């Protein structure tokens, strides 16, 4: 069963002529699947169809708000198994992978296919056709596991699916009970 809730985010604005403290409660949906609560937006995104920030694995480890963290490889594996790999979907003209229960149109998790950045470049590669997401699970000193979606392929972290930690991928945060 999928549960939808909201998390609150407080933002402080600093201006060059002084400090102005403003308490803004930006509502962000979350989706609870089993014991894991998933953010519906990527780190650095304002809505679920935004790609958000592209981060190295080391940067990703520190990117989630307090109380949140990167998903473990096993949590992505469980998500994939529960929703039979999800479906390639277009949401508000953005390509990506959708995980939702049959008959629950619009509810669930959408992972936009924002592509990635190579270590030696700041240009985005394969935007709209693939979407790699970091896990908190590393493989060794240089490689870490990641979730990968591809327009005409599967969405999986099963097996030996790891990549260089210096590549910049998208990040989705979770918290668990």
């Amino acid at each position: 069963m999928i549960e939808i809730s909201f998390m609150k985010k407080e933002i402080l604005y600093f201006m060059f002529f002084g400090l102005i403290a403003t308490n803004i409660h930006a509502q962000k949906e979350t989706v609870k699947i089993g014991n894991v609560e998933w953010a519906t937006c990527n780190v650095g995104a304002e809505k679920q169809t935004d790609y958000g920030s592209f981060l190295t694995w080391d940067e990703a480890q520190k990117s989630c708000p307090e109380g949140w963290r990167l998903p473990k490889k096993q949590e992505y594996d469980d998500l994939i198994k529960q929703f039979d790999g999800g479906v390639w979907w277009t949401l508000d003209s953005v390509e990506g992978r959708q995980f939702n229960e049959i008959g629950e149109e619009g509810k669930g998790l959408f992972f936009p296919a924002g592509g990635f950045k190579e270590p030696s470049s700041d240009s985005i590669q394969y935007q709209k056709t693939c979407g790699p997401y970091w896990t908190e699970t590393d493989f060794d000193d240089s490689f870490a596991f990641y979730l990968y979606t591809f327009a005409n392929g599967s969405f999986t972290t099963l097996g030996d699916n790891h990549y260089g930690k210096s590549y910049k991928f998208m990040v989705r945060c979770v918290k668990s009970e």
Side-chain angles (χ1 to χ4, degrees):
M1 178 165 81
I2 298 175
E3 297 174 27
I4 297 178
S5 61
F6 294 93
M7 66 179 177
K8 292 185 178 182
K9 181 179 180 184
E10 293 184 12
I11 302 170
L12 288 179
Y13 287 96
F14 292 88
M15 301 188 78
F16 67 93
F17 54 86
L19 170 68
I20 299 175
T22 308
N23 207 5
I24 297 176
H25 297 285
Q27 299 290 335
K28 297 237 183 192
E29 276 189 287
T30 63
V31 174
K32 189 170 183 180
I33 301 173
N35 291 330
V36 180
E37 189 170 349
W38 294 80
T40 57
C41 295
N42 291 344
V43 167
E46 290 298 316
K47 58 186 179 176
Q48 64 182 336
T49 53
D50 292 345
Y51 301 136
S53 303
F54 292 87
L55 305 171
T56 66
W57 186 80
D58 289 330
E59 292 169 336
Q61 298 301 307
K62 303 174 238 166
S63 67
C64 292
E66 187 175 330
W68 292 77
R69 59 174 173 76
L70 290 180
K72 297 173 184 166
K73 179 185 179 299
Q74 186 60 51
E75 289 168 329
Y76 273 131
D77 288 344
D78 292 344
L79 180 69
I80 292 163
K81 287 176 188 173
Q82 180 168 346
F83 296 103
D84 198 24
V87 295
W88 190 256
W89 197 255
T90 302
L91 182 63
D92 297 333
S93 300
V94 176
E95 301 283 326
R97 182 66 58 174
Q98 177 74 32
F99 292 97
N100 64 309
E101 293 181 11
I102 296 172
E104 294 292 324
E105 184 73 27
K107 293 183 179 180
L109 292 173
F110 180 74
F111 287 79
F116 63 90
K117 294 182 181 181
E118 295 178 349
S120 60
S121 173
D122 203 34
S123 64
I124 299 172
Q125 305 293 316
Y126 301 104
Q127 195 170 48
K128 300 181 183 179
T129 60
C130 78
Y133 287 80
W134 284 123
T135 73
E136 77 170 19
T137 310
D138 69 342
F139 179 76
D140 61 22
D141 289 343
S142 300
F143 295 91
F145 289 98
Y146 70 103
L147 176 68
Y148 184 74
T149 184
F150 186 70
N152 294 318
S154 64
F155 191 88
T156 182
T157 58
L158 300 173
D160 195 24
N161 203 12
H162 58 276
Y163 222 77
K165 292 179 179 179
S166 60
Y167 279 77
K168 295 178 182 176
F169 293 167
M170 294 170 288
V171 175
R172 184 65 60 99
C173 300
V174 298
K175 63 181 173 178
S176 53
E177 297 174 346

